[in-house]
Amino acid sequence: MLRAMPSHASLAPDGAREALLAAARERILVTDGAFGTEIQNWKLSEADYAGTLGLSHDQKGNNDILALTKPEVPESIHRAYFEAGADIAETNTFSANRISQADYGAEGLVREINMESAAMARRIADEFAARDGRRRFVAGAIGPTNKTLSLSPDVNDPGFREIDFDYLKQVYREQTDALIEGGADFILIETVFDTLNAKAGVMAASEAAEAFGRDVPLMLSMTLTDLSGRNLSGHTVEAFWHAVRHARPVTIGLNCSFGAEQLRPHVKTLSEICDTLIMVYPNAGLPNELGAYDEAPATTAGLVKEWAVAGQVNVLGGCCGSTPAHIKAIADAVRGLTPRVVPTPPVRTRLAGLEPFTMAA
């Protein structure tokens, strides 16, 4: 049975951008950890995922649909991360878009999944805020989809694209609207492997903000595909920043890809050039030969604490393999440390190809 749709009353309270910036001036904030690996711990069956929706496809592994079919799973994970000390909850909607959900025959449920997921995170965030008076935030998570605008999937036809920019923008807009209506404070475009995909998401969020008549702050998070510091579309971290800075993201940063050890030089680069908050949430180390993550919470916390001590970050958390124990260790490690001061870079014309380009004054 389908759950009742959240009403517009679920909309996030105003002033999220200002509230986050104010909190980040006082302390290093903490975002939550992985959802996928936490859901795996539940050992769910296909029937658990499918519920009574009557979909024609096998739903095993469709983590996003659990908001409708087994909401106690994502709800318990949200609660565990808030109990561990998280300030920000990311919605369980990484693949809750029309392209990804088509693999499960669930593209018709995209709006409901996102609204329900955002409303769930909003409700729990507000519950924890009511306990101690400290505002908790909800980031509406949008993944990159399994399509790319910059690269051809056909090695014999480099000009071929499976989708175009306008279609992807529409896909992101559908998800963005539902997350906003469900109560998300921010739209988090994460695991950006293709900068052009991210720009489609940025435009979708911009159009949504205009339609809703309110500020819709963006969080942007790039993922690196090699140790030289580039994403799949070939952009360096500095070029990526130049390509998206116009969107005025409230945070910019890195997630997934590698563990904290490998991200160190790229965090330093972003910290020095970005006039906004830096949010980094690495994997819990590199996966072992079985694809599992072995890095202990204390190890992860010790590595990211180095960035905090160096004044390079404003928000920390975890990606693949991280657990509530990792988030608690991170929160404990950075408590009382001075947050990064957002710099004011000199005014220059800054452009981006695959490399950054700055025009001389």
Side-chain angles (χ1 to χ4, degrees):
M1 181 179 223
L2 295 181
R3 295 162 62 84
M5 295 285 281
S7 70
H8 285 264
S10 296
L11 284 169
D14 290 334
R17 183 190 299 269
E18 293 74 17
L20 187 77
L21 293 172
R25 285 191 289 269
E26 300 297 323
R27 57 194 172 85
I28 295 172
L29 303 177
V30 178
T31 189
D32 60 13
F35 254 77
T37 45
E38 287 299 290
I39 289 172
Q40 289 173 16
N41 293 335
W42 283 71
K43 311 294 184 187
L44 299 175
S45 67
E46 195 279 334
D48 290 322
Y49 284 96
T52 58
L53 295 177
L55 297 172
S56 59
H57 292 50
D58 190 307
Q59 296 300 308
K60 181 80 170 180
N62 188 1
N63 293 339
D64 309 78
I65 210 166
L66 293 173
L68 307 181
T69 58
K70 207 166 182 62
E72 62 269 26
V73 174
E75 180 168 333
S76 72
I77 295 170
H78 280 312
R79 290 185 182 281
Y81 282 130
F82 277 134
E83 292 284 3
D87 298 284
I88 303 168
E90 298 173 26
T91 57
N92 181 37
T93 53
F94 184 82
S95 297
N97 61 76
R98 185 164 291 273
I99 292 172
S100 301
Q101 286 300 311
D103 293 342
Y104 296 100
E107 57 267 46
L109 294 173
V110 163
R111 177 176 168 78
E112 185 174 1
I113 291 170
N114 283 281
M115 287 190 69
E116 195 66 51
S117 295
M120 174 191 297
R122 174 85 273 148
R123 183 180 71 253
I124 299 169
D126 292 347
E127 176 188 317
F128 274 79
R131 293 184 187 181
D132 58 15
R134 191 177 94 233
R135 182 166 176 174
R136 306 307 199 279
F137 300 92
V138 175
I142 293 181
T145 80
N146 53 18
K147 307 295 182 186
T148 171
L149 292 174
S150 296
L151 303 170
S152 172
D154 184 353
V155 295
N156 297 312
D157 186 1
F160 174 70
R161 298 292 185 270
E162 292 182 279
I163 58 173
D164 62 23
F165 185 92
D166 287 340
Y167 176 69
L168 184 57
K169 185 192 71 172
Q170 292 170 7
V171 168
Y172 282 140
R173 177 65 192 277
E174 178 181 32
Q175 188 175 9
T176 297
D177 283 358
L179 288 169
I180 293 170
E181 290 183 45
D185 292 298
F186 314 108
I187 296 299
L188 168 61
I189 301 173
E190 64 175 344
T191 319
V192 176
F193 65 76
D194 183 341
T195 302
L196 192 55
N197 280 32
K199 289 173 81 70
V202 166
M203 182 169 284
S206 175
E207 291 181 357
E210 184 175 353
F212 279 89
R214 51 162 287 194
D215 182 30
V216 178
L218 283 173
M219 294 174 157
L220 300 174
S221 188
M222 179 185 184
T223 189
L224 305 181
T225 55
D226 63 60
L227 292 174
S228 71
R230 296 179 185 270
N231 64 3
L232 191 63
S233 58
H235 295 86
T236 66
V237 293
E238 189 171 356
F240 176 70
W241 169 239
H242 287 188
V244 299
R245 182 176 180 269
H246 68 280
R248 294 178 57 242
V250 70
T251 71
I252 188 83
L254 301 166
N255 77 291
C256 203
S257 55
F258 303 110
E261 185 72 39
Q262 292 76 22
L263 292 184
R264 179 181 287 113
H266 312 299
V267 173
K268 182 176 185 294
T269 296
L270 282 177
S271 176
E272 292 170 349
I273 64 173
C274 298
D275 56 350
T276 192
L277 304 180
I278 299 294
M279 181 167 81
V280 187
Y281 47 117
N283 291 346
L286 297 174
N288 60 28
E289 61 275 8
L290 299 177
Y293 292 86
D294 300 324
E295 188 169 277
T299 302
T300 303
L303 290 169
V304 301
K305 182 180 179 180
E306 294 177 13
W307 303 334
V309 171
Q312 295 173 346
V313 290
N314 304 98
V315 188
L316 287 168
C319 201
C320 301
S322 59
T323 67
H326 286 81
I327 299 308
K328 183 179 188 308
I330 291 171
D332 290 344
V334 302
R335 187 173 293 112
L337 296 182
T338 303
R340 166 180 171 269
V341 177
V342 176
T344 304
V347 176
R348 298 286 188 275
T349 298
R350 305 177 194 276
L351 308 174
L354 297 184
E355 304 282 345
F357 176 76
T358 303
M359 292 182 66

